[in-house]
Amino acid sequence: MEAVITLLPGDGIGPDVTASARQVLDAVAKQYGHTLHYKEALIGGAAIDATGEPLPAVTVDACKAADAVLLGAVGGPKWSDPNDKVRPEQGLLKLRSVLGVYANMRPVRIYPELAGASPLRAEILDGVDMLVIRELTGGIYFGAKTRTATSASDLCEYTVGEVERIVRVAARLATERRGRLCSVDKANILETSRLWRDVTNRVMADEFPEIELETLLVDAAAMHLLSRPSDFDVIVTENMFGDILTDEASMLAGSLGMLPSASLGDGSAGLYEPIHGSAPDIAGMGIANPCGAIASVAMMLRHSLGLESEALAVEQAMAAAIAAGARTADIVAEGDTRLSTDDMTARIIACLA
Ligand code: NAD
């Protein structure tokens, strides 16, 4: 099999974790006899520095031409002046939009050996296995923004079509899992959430009557995620709620550095990225946890390249390395050795063989 992958290292720890993920992809490709062609392009602060734009046209072309895109992270203090007209995050939002990747899949998987890295008690984490489906190309992140000297506004807008398609994606995935879907909204306050709830109830009743549907307000969902996380199977929610709830859910897994994501549209091409940001506090130190990025390439192998065995091999290698005690600084317990990004990557690759 041959495939073209566009790499967008981005800023901060982005280049470190994408380099790790590429090494793992190369090792899997070699083991299974596939040929992967890489193209590297600029995004975020690195692109602003080089070209003045957070998403140059040549980057868009490289991403559109690829079978899959692997992104590190964008942003950092250098480009964080709120008065700046051009910001790294604009590049990421525009990329998601131009690629039409409206369905962001964020699995939250718990490694039993990392229970100690979570602030929650081990018995609460027992059996946690959830998949959060975040709507990625609509809502308040994409609505019109205004700013005057004395006020500001962000428009939150959803169409029936946008809600229908994301609910269908989530419901199909629930069918393949434990058959439970939880839709999270704020329908007691927001009109967009009342639309979200009406459309969700209709699509689920008409098309997925076999799926057990639960509806939660986002404030309650934030609490239930910590009090009864193992009850959740698939969660579907709008762009901003999904962004916030998955950072919260990352604490179940022990670190933001553990969680991967896949963003898909109607075709098989997708955008893959760890859910964390550019982590300026540890950038350049060589200690970032590469697991989120490596688990993201497992999702890439599965969802864009159709290579299920290879995806499983990567996930099993990560699990084996962690079970054997491999830990970066963010997931160490007392007495553990703190591995660098490179050493953690090497330990995972060694478990592939
Ligand atoms: P962050 O995710 O970068 O970091 C939050 C905390 O988690 C930090 O203490 C960091 O050291 C730690 N952390 C994150 N990833 C880690 C990893 N792989 N290994 C070990 N520790 C890790 O969030 P932030 O500090 O709020 O944001 C920093 C910058 O990243 C901002 O400019 C923000 O806009 C940007 N950001 C980008 C994305 C993205 O590119 N998708 C997402 C979120 C934030």
Side-chain angles (χ1 to χ4, degrees):
M1 203 267 321
E2 284 198 38
V4 177
I5 294 162
T6 294
L7 298 172
L8 306 177
D11 307 316
I13 62 168
D16 301 1
V17 298
T18 41
S20 295
R22 179 183 171 161
Q23 283 178 45
V24 172
L25 269 178
D26 282 337
V28 169
K30 192 170 168 205
Q31 197 175 336
Y32 286 82
H34 304 305
T35 307
L36 301 177
H37 304 280
Y38 298 98
K39 189 158 192 173
E40 197 165 308
L42 292 168
I43 190 168
I48 293 174
D49 286 354
T51 70
E53 294 175 60
L55 186 70
V58 43
T59 298
V60 173
D61 292 345
C63 292
K64 282 186 170 167
D67 296 298
V69 179
L70 175 65
L71 174 95
V74 299
K78 184 175 175 193
W79 310 277
S80 284
D81 184 336
N83 295 316
D84 281 346
K85 285 261 174 312
V86 181
R87 298 172 57 89
E89 294 76 14
Q90 293 163 345
L92 184 53
L93 291 181
K94 189 169 165 199
L95 179 66
R96 291 167 175 168
S97 180
V98 296
L99 294 179
V101 287
Y102 59 84
N104 181 227
M105 303 163 58
R106 297 183 162 198
V108 181
R109 175 176 179 188
I110 306 292
Y111 296 89
E113 302 84 3
L114 294 186
S118 171
L120 295 181
R121 291 197 306 276
E123 66 264 28
I124 294 181
L125 299 174
D126 196 27
V128 169
D129 175 14
M130 73 177 87
L131 175 62
V132 182
I133 307 298
R134 167 187 171 196
E135 199 291 327
L136 200 62
T137 55
I140 199 165
Y141 289 10
F142 285 88
K145 298 174 191 316
T146 68
R147 177 78 184 263
T148 69
T150 52
S151 73
S153 71
D154 298 277
L155 179 69
C156 184
E157 197 169 14
Y158 269 110
T159 66
V160 168
E162 282 173 327
V163 182
E164 281 175 345
R165 67 184 181 180
I166 193 75
V167 169
R168 286 189 182 116
V169 168
R172 274 184 222 117
L173 289 161
T175 309
E176 294 163 14
R177 293 171 48 101
R178 302 198 303 277
R180 299 220 302 266
L181 181 68
C182 174
S183 174
V184 174
D185 61 39
K186 187 72 183 164
N188 55 340
I189 308 280
L190 300 177
E191 205 52 52
T192 41
S193 279
R194 285 193 270 273
L195 177 95
W196 182 282
R197 191 174 285 204
D198 287 347
V199 173
T200 302
N201 287 341
R202 172 175 54 75
V203 169
M204 295 308 294
D206 290 353
E207 300 173 32
F208 302 93
E210 73 286 7
I211 299 285
E212 188 188 317
L213 176 67
E214 176 186 17
T215 300
L216 285 179
L217 296 174
V218 63
D219 36 354
M223 187 263 290
H224 289 289
L225 264 182
L226 301 185
S227 61
R228 53 174 186 99
S230 59
D231 285 354
F232 294 101
D233 181 12
V234 178
I235 295 176
V236 65
T237 190
E238 62 140 272
N239 202 340
M240 183 165 72
F241 299 160
D243 193 2
I244 297 168
L245 290 179
T246 48
D247 266 33
E248 183 191 358
S250 75
M251 282 298 101
L252 306 169
S255 167
L256 205 46
M258 293 300 299
L259 292 204
S261 83
S263 303
L264 291 157
D266 290 325
S268 64
L271 171 64
Y272 297 84
E273 47 180 320
I275 79 156
H276 61 74
S278 58
D281 52 337
I282 56 166
M285 294 167 68
I287 60 168
N289 185 344
C291 287
I294 292 171
S296 298
V297 298
M299 295 185 83
M300 174 193 289
L301 290 162
R302 174 173 295 123
H303 296 291
S304 285
L305 308 186
L307 300 174
E308 178 62 27
S309 303
E310 289 80 341
L312 278 174
V314 171
E315 286 165 352
Q316 282 161 4
M318 276 183 55
I322 288 168
R327 304 277 187 277
T328 42
D330 55 317
I331 49 173
V332 284
E334 233 178 277
D336 287 340
T337 307
R338 293 164 182 243
L339 296 181
S340 67
T341 308
D342 288 347
D343 288 342
M344 185 75 181
T345 308
R347 291 279 290 269
I348 293 168
I349 290 173
C351 290
L352 264 176

